[in-house]
Structures are given as C-alpha cells and as structure tokens.
C-alpha cells in the first residue's frame, strides 16, 4: 500500500508543469480596474493594464426581455506598434463594430 501511495505522489510530481529558469515571465501591472454594478442591472467597467490594454464598457437591461444593451471600446498596441481601437454598440437590434 505504501508503494502505491508513493508511486501516485511521484506520478503527480512528474506530471506537474516544468518551468525553466531561462523563461522570462512578463509582469503586467493593473493600473485601473473600476467596476460598478447597480441593483437595477446597470453597470460600467473601466480597465487599464500597464502594457497599454484598455477596456471601457457600460450597459443596462433595457432591451427586450431585459436583454442587456451595451456600448464600449477596447484598445491595445499590435506587435508592429500600431494602436488598435475597437468600438462597439449592442442594442438588441443592431451591432456596430
């Protein structure tokens, strides 16, 4: 029985992800994370990370059958340095990108 338990522990240890000390992991700080969610379902969110990713969105359950109507945008910097900005509106009948 002890051998079976020891074998299981060894199998789990060997199956665990192995990380090399040569791999660098980039730490990206969160600069802003503001979220508001009202009791009536209205919400807003603003997020910004240190690597330039930004998200801003707001919405409310004003659509048919309390579907959430929302609008917002997000942006990031592409690998070639181009700033990408995507704006959207979802109001239950149309969606714009």
């Amino acid at each position: 029985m002890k051998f079976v338990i020891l074998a299981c522990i060894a199998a789990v240890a060997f199956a665990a992800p192995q990380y090399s000390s040569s791999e660098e992991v980039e730490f990206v700080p969160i600069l802003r994370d503001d979220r508001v969610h009202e009791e009536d379902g209205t919400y807003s969110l603003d997020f910004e990370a240190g690597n330039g990713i930004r998200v801003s969105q707001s919405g409310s359950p004003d659509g048919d059958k309390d579907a959430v109507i929302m609008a917002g945008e997000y942006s990031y910097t592409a690998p070639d340095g181009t700033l990408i900005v995507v704006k959207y509106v979802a109001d239950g009948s149309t969606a714009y990108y």
Side-chain angles (χ1 to χ4, degrees), residues 7-97:
C8 290
I9 292 172
V12 169
F14 285 117
Q18 303 298 315
Y19 299 101
S20 169
S21 62
S22 64
E23 292 181 37
E24 273 192 45
V25 177
E26 179 185 359
F27 174 76
V28 178
I30 304 300
L31 304 177
R32 182 173 44 136
D33 188 358
D34 298 325
R35 301 168 192 236
V36 177
H37 193 168
E38 303 293 341
E39 288 185 26
D40 66 356
T42 303
Y43 74 94
S44 66
L45 118 83
D46 288 297
F47 172 86
E48 182 178 358
N51 60 0
I53 295 174
R54 294 180 180 183
V55 178
S56 180
Q57 179 176 304
S58 61
S60 63
D62 294 329
D64 293 341
K65 298 182 183 177
D66 288 334
V68 176
I69 294 173
M70 68 178 72
E73 69 179 63
Y74 63 90
S75 63
Y76 62 95
T77 303
D80 68 357
T82 304
L83 178 64
I84 307 296
V85 179
V86 177
K87 296 181 181 188
Y88 54 90
V89 174
D91 64 6
S93 62
T94 58
Y96 302 100
Y97 302 99

